[in-house]
Amino acid sequence: MLTRSFCELADLVEGRRVLVISGAGCSTESGIPDYRGPDAQPKVRNPILYQQFVREPEARVTYWARSAIGWQRVAEAAPNAGHRALARLEKAGLVGGTITQNVDGLHQAAGSRRVVELHGNLRDVRCLECGLSESRTALQKRLLDLNPEWDGGHSSAPDRDAQIAPDGDAELAPAVARSFQVAGCRRCGGILKPDVVFFGESVPKTTLQDAWVLFEEAEVLLVAGSSLAVYSSYRFVLRAERYGLPVAIVNIGTTRGDEIACVKVRGRTGEVLPALADTLL
């Protein structure tokens, strides 16, 4: 791992308070696929839009049918070496916090404590009518009670050949999903939505405020496993450039911040970050 770029990365972050911006590349080694990495599957469809989910009952049926299959992959995923390395660096006081685009909760599971989830998390669902929250695990049981043939252990389960998608759901033909029964809110029967930010939906102001608090404490920005293709994360790199805050990037492929970065290490976060922790601690 002692490449020139890695040594430059270690020199850059040593003795400085680091803010991590993490993306899907941090979780691919935990078995959760991404949309843009070199190992990503060809895109079959676009992610669901917020307005689609709210306004179109058919879209919600399709979403929850796919989610009933894909959720188990997220629920069973475990933190990888990259997540654990960031938790070690935070515990040692070198990482001041992590702003993540991921919705899988693996940073917290690894032991990171100062985490801002820009796009929310899949652990909970919320009623759009009354606001009642429910765990995704509890909802999964209700969904499978309503649709027993969708249980993965069932001989006729429609998920036998389903391809798992990055959003905690799965690729499934609309015709197959059409018969799925959707569960409503336990209190009022209203529409349940995962507690994540869909495309076309804005990051909550309170979440952004929490993220900017971490940013203001930082002395260097470390982008880990993100192509920075979406503005919600790219904005931090742009502000770092304006403030003269050094930016380092660890990613397999090209990112939108490459020209801004002082250092770019091409590699998997599950390999580079543990080596960085071993070097600094």
Side-chain angles (χ1 to χ4, degrees):
M1 189 56 68
L2 293 179
T3 62
R4 180 178 177 179
S5 60
F6 177 82
C7 292
E8 290 174 346
L9 171 64
D11 288 343
L12 178 65
V13 302
E14 186 173 17
R16 287 178 161 149
R17 191 169 180 82
V18 179
L19 171 61
V20 176
I21 306 294
S22 77
C26 277
S27 293
T28 53
E29 292 165 83
S30 292
I32 299 176
D34 66 355
Y35 276 120
R36 300 179 180 89
D39 299 325
Q41 297 290 336
K43 186 182 291 188
V44 177
R45 57 178 167 82
N46 292 321
I48 190 168
L49 300 176
Y50 174 73
Q51 292 299 338
Q52 271 185 300
F53 186 90
V54 172
R55 296 177 179 176
E56 301 175 16
E58 296 85 358
R60 291 196 294 276
V61 168
T62 300
Y63 175 85
W64 285 117
R66 290 169 170 163
S67 179
I69 294 173
W71 162 248
Q72 203 59 34
R73 172 74 68 89
V74 176
E76 293 174 354
N80 61 55
H83 295 113
R84 293 192 294 272
L86 291 179
R88 286 173 58 201
L89 289 166
E90 183 188 297
K91 186 175 182 179
L94 300 179
V95 164
T98 299
I99 300 172
T100 185
Q101 300 167 244
N102 300 336
V103 295
D104 50 42
L106 292 180
H107 285 298
Q108 296 94 318
S112 291
R113 293 293 172 258
R114 301 191 77 197
V115 180
V116 174
E117 296 173 310
L118 274 184
H119 299 161
N121 68 78
L122 285 171
R123 298 183 299 273
D124 300 302
V125 297
R126 191 172 303 277
C127 177
L128 296 179
E129 311 292 332
C130 72
L132 182 69
S133 180
E134 179 179 5
S135 76
R136 181 63 184 80
T137 299
L139 177 61
Q140 181 73 358
K141 183 179 186 307
R142 294 205 291 132
L143 289 173
L144 294 182
D145 285 346
L146 287 171
N147 303 273
E149 71 279 11
W150 287 65
D151 190 317
H154 197 282
S155 60
S156 62
D159 61 334
R160 284 173 298 172
D161 301 313
Q163 175 184 310
I164 302 302
D167 297 322
D169 60 1
E171 301 298 347
L172 199 64
V176 176
R178 203 167 291 138
S179 63
F180 191 79
Q181 298 297 308
V182 176
C185 172
R186 289 183 291 110
R187 181 162 64 191
C188 73
I191 297 171
L192 292 176
K193 175 184 173 294
D195 204 4
V196 299
V197 177
F198 281 171
F199 279 83
E201 191 176 6
S202 298
V203 175
K205 290 183 179 179
T206 54
T207 300
L208 273 180
Q209 289 169 355
D210 292 341
W212 288 124
V213 167
L214 293 183
F215 181 91
E216 292 298 329
E217 298 174 357
E219 295 173 313
V220 61
L221 202 65
L222 173 59
V223 178
S226 174
S227 65
L228 301 171
V230 295
Y231 180 72
S232 61
S233 58
Y234 186 48
R235 74 180 89 198
F236 299 102
V237 174
L238 292 177
R239 183 171 292 192
E241 182 183 31
R242 290 198 300 272
Y243 282 21
L245 201 68
V247 176
I249 296 176
V250 175
N251 200 55
I252 294 178
T254 301
T255 83
R256 195 151 59 141
D258 286 354
E259 293 185 1
I260 297 174
C262 302
V263 179
K264 168 71 178 292
V265 179
R266 290 188 178 274
R268 297 184 181 278
T269 57
E271 297 172 355
V272 178
L273 296 178
L276 182 63
D278 290 343
T279 300
L280 297 177
L281 299 181

